[in-house]
Amino acid sequence: MHYVNSKSILSAKNGMNLYRGCSHGCIYCDSRSKCYNMTHDFEDIEIKENGVELLKKALISKREKCMIGTGSMTDPYIPLESKLKNIRKSLELIERYGFGFTCITKSNLILRDLDLLKKINDKTKAVVQMTITTYDEELCKKIEPNVCSTKERVEVLKTLNKHNIPTIVWLSPILPFINDTEENINGILDQCIESNVKGIICFGMGLTLREGNREYFYKQLDKKFPGLKEKYIKTYGNSYGLISPNNQKLMKIFKKRCRENNILSNTNEIFNYLHEFPKDKNTTQTTLL
């Protein structure tokens, strides 16, 4: 790991990344792509040393309350967070100043901060987004080796549901010839239904590859799925979007089961929900410290 000082912490859409890089080891990670201009090794986590301080200043200066998001580029609950607690410190600020919060993660470390998530959700809104790609525990270990299993993620969803904290699942990516089966999709949907998730984000059954993450993905295929790289190259060449041959059939299953179980599946509706700050909720006035 290494430290840097940053000039700002919130994006135009109020997203933040206190860390850059990740140690989860997911074989398909788009954040490895060269277009993001990461100048250090992906596993050498970059820590924004002044990130929490910048967040405090940003929250104090904002004229209107909003949802603060994290996790779009780096999972906020990487193992380093258990020691550094920068996300927890950020949640304390978000709760103190009356903002909402949402994050994308694969880690059950988020339950460490359940107390703060509950406080934020009681006051404004907290939404946890959890990525699930396979219900097969052994396959999960192969494609997402250094983070908690699907079973543990589902337990997180169930725990959050018990505490009335809404959840969204990212059904993405679905890797052609690996997890693009009816059994897998139905298995994940069963878990989502049991966990009473509010919505499921799915852009289609497939994944994206571009310079940087393509090379890493193919290297991992050679290690874990010998011979499959050649099938990918033959089928897709250097395409950016790799759509599963089963896409149409699997999307029908996905949409039908979401509709039958009152789970949001329209991505625009879900993103609107994630960004919508509950102005009609009785918020507690906070004192600027």
Side-chain angles (χ1 to χ4, degrees), residues 4-20 46-62 67-74 76 86-87 89-91 93-94 101:
V4 297
N5 277 303
S6 185
K7 293 182 179 179
S8 61
I9 193 63
L10 291 182
S11 69
K13 293 185 177 181
N14 300 305
M16 67 174 181
N17 284 298
L18 294 171
Y19 306 117
R20 276 196 99 193
E46 182 177 281
I47 302 162
K48 295 181 180 178
E49 190 169 19
N50 59 337
V52 176
E53 178 186 348
L54 288 173
L55 177 63
K56 181 177 181 178
K57 291 179 180 178
L59 296 181
I60 290 174
S61 65
K62 277 193 172 294
M67 297 293 292
I68 305 297
T70 190
S72 60
M73 282 295 297
T74 296
N86 286 332
I87 297 299
K89 294 171 187 174
S90 299
L91 286 171
L93 292 173
I94 290 167
F101 176 76

Side-chain angles (χ1 to χ4, degrees), residues 167-169 189 197-202 254-255 257-259 261-274:
T167 55
I168 300 292
V169 162
L189 292 172
V197 302
K198 184 176 183 67
I200 304 174
I201 294 172
C202 179
F254 166 69
K255 292 179 179 178
R257 296 201 65 192
C258 285
R259 184 171 60 252
N261 291 279
N262 296 314
I263 296 173
L264 292 176
S265 63
N266 182 290
T267 54
N268 289 331
E269 289 182 14
I270 295 173
F271 283 126
N272 287 338
Y273 167 73
L274 290 171

